[in-house]
């Protein structure tokens, strides 16, 4: 049976100053809503198979939304207004109608 759980996968870059802000913004927003989601963080530099397959620049923090194994949408090219950009992206894609979990680490070793 397929699930309506949305997975937010944050492909982070440890040298990026906005990666923590991206995670904090998504976590704050989804934790405040009654949505069913899973948040995962992946070091983009250590996951070339995923970044190539998804067309992600490992030097640019990117969040990918996945439901039932299918990429729904992605967001990258963040500016200084990360919280507002993340909030707009979540609302524009109606993700808020889907329980929030904090980001968990996915081992890429």
């Amino acid at each position: 049976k397929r699930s309506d759980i949305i997975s937010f996968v944050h492909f982070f870059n440890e040298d990026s100053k906005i990666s923590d802000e991206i995670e904090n913004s998504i976590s704050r927003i989804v934790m405040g809503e009654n949505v069913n989601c899973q948040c995962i963080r992946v070091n983009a530099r250590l996951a070339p198979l995923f970044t190539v397959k998804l067309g992600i620049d490992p030097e640019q923090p990117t969040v990918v939304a996945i439901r039932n194994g299918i990429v729904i949408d992605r967001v990258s090219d963040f500016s200084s207004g990360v919280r507002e950009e993340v909030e707009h992206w979540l609302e524009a894609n109606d993700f808020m109608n889907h329980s929030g979990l904090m980001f968990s680490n996915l081992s890429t070793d």
Side-chain angles (χ1 to χ4, degrees):
K1 179 180 175 183
R2 296 207 157 209
S3 169
D4 283 333
I5 295 175
I6 295 176
S7 297
F8 294 107
V9 184
H10 175 210
F11 290 90
F12 73 96
N13 177 325
E14 57 196 11
D15 295 333
S16 171
K17 295 177 182 177
I18 63 171
S19 284
D20 287 339
E21 190 175 346
I22 292 168
E23 289 179 21
N24 290 336
S25 295
I26 290 177
S27 295
R28 270 194 309 265
I29 294 165
V30 298
M31 291 295 285
E33 302 288 332
N34 187 23
V35 295
N36 193 14
C37 71
Q38 175 182 17
C39 300
I40 302 165
R41 69 190 313 259
V42 177
N43 185 330
R45 291 180 179 161
L46 301 178
L49 176 69
F50 294 110
T51 57
V52 169
K53 183 164 178 78
L54 295 171
I56 294 170
D57 178 356
E59 301 304 315
Q60 179 73 14
T62 302
V63 180
V64 178
I66 301 170
R67 183 185 311 142
N68 298 324
I70 299 169
V71 173
I72 302 168
D73 199 17
R74 73 184 73 216
V75 64
S76 59
D77 298 325
F78 293 95
S79 67
S80 59
V82 171
R83 180 168 171 75
E84 293 80 19
E85 290 177 51
V86 168
E87 187 172 301
H88 174 74
W89 178 69
L90 291 170
E91 289 175 0
N93 287 288
D94 201 26
F95 293 136
M96 302 322 294
N97 287 329
H98 294 285
S99 154
L101 302 172
M102 296 301 285
F103 275 89
S104 59
N105 285 311
L106 176 67
S107 175
T108 53
D109 294 334

